[in-house]
Amino acid sequence: MQMFLEFVKHNLKDDDEIYIPGYTWFGHNRSTLCNIAVRGSGGVGVLIRNELLNEYNVIVLDRSFEGIIWLKLGAKNDNSYYINLCVAYLTPERSSRGNLAQEFYDMLLSQVYTYFDENPMLIMGDLNGRIGDKQDFNELID
């Protein structure tokens, strides 16, 4: 089976991109860098195989929160079919960036509700094992 999508967490700066022949990079680099950083301070992105881009248009839906990017892949021959992709990276609990898990999950849930519709949705990434023992739904809403 060929790989068409690849989730990547990285250390790029500013508008740097990852270049791999045959793929196109869609990324969200961190804007807040440590003032002594030699390299970038992280971010997320997706490499999409160019063959897939022959059949699908890609629109960046949201890059408003560091560590999360949303893309919409829409079929070129049927604009009623598309899939919303989310790539997310939550820093480790003891990261120098602090423990932002609650803010991160609040934003992710808000974005899920924003981009939810009848078409498929895929969330991929690295949430650093923060699954815990709490319910993953709200009984008043879900």
Side-chain angles (χ1 to χ4, degrees):
M1 180 176 161
Q2 293 183 353
M3 178 62 76
F4 285 100
L5 300 169
E6 181 68 33
F7 156 70
V8 180
K9 52 185 186 177
H10 62 74
N11 291 311
L12 302 177
K13 286 183 176 179
D14 305 319
D15 292 327
D16 290 349
E17 297 182 358
I18 293 175
Y19 177 75
I20 296 177
Y23 288 83
T24 299
W25 171 252
F26 297 90
H28 180 35
N29 303 342
R30 277 210 179 109
S31 59
T32 308
L33 302 177
C34 175
N35 58 357
I36 60 170
V38 175
R39 59 187 183 149
S41 295
V44 294
V46 171
L47 288 163
I48 299 178
R49 191 177 203 125
N50 291 338
E51 291 173 39
L52 190 63
L53 297 178
N54 292 333
E55 299 176 32
Y56 290 86
N57 293 312
V58 178
I59 298 169
V60 176
L61 293 174
D62 196 330
R63 295 184 338 166
S64 63
F65 192 85
E66 288 193 348
I68 302 174
I69 185 173
W70 283 87
L71 303 173
K72 176 180 179 177
L73 272 70
K76 288 183 178 181
N77 63 356
D78 179 2
N79 60 3
S80 67
Y81 177 78
Y82 57 89
I83 181 170
N84 289 331
L85 299 176
C86 173
V87 179
Y89 172 66
L90 176 58
T91 56
E93 189 172 6
R94 291 176 181 83
S95 167
S96 62
R97 293 190 169 270
N99 188 354
L100 303 173
Q102 190 61 52
E103 181 183 358
F104 176 90
Y105 282 120
D106 287 347
M107 178 57 71
L108 185 59
L109 181 60
S110 172
Q111 291 172 336
V112 165
Y113 286 135
T114 298
Y115 301 116
F116 175 78
D117 57 24
E118 70 279 355
N119 286 297
M121 174 184 288
L122 173 65
I123 299 174
M124 57 185 159
D126 182 355
L127 303 179
N128 276 301
R130 299 206 190 155
I131 55 176
D133 59 0
K134 295 183 180 181
Q135 291 183 338
D136 63 351
F137 65 95
N138 182 331
E139 293 176 6
L140 299 175
I141 298 173
D142 298 326

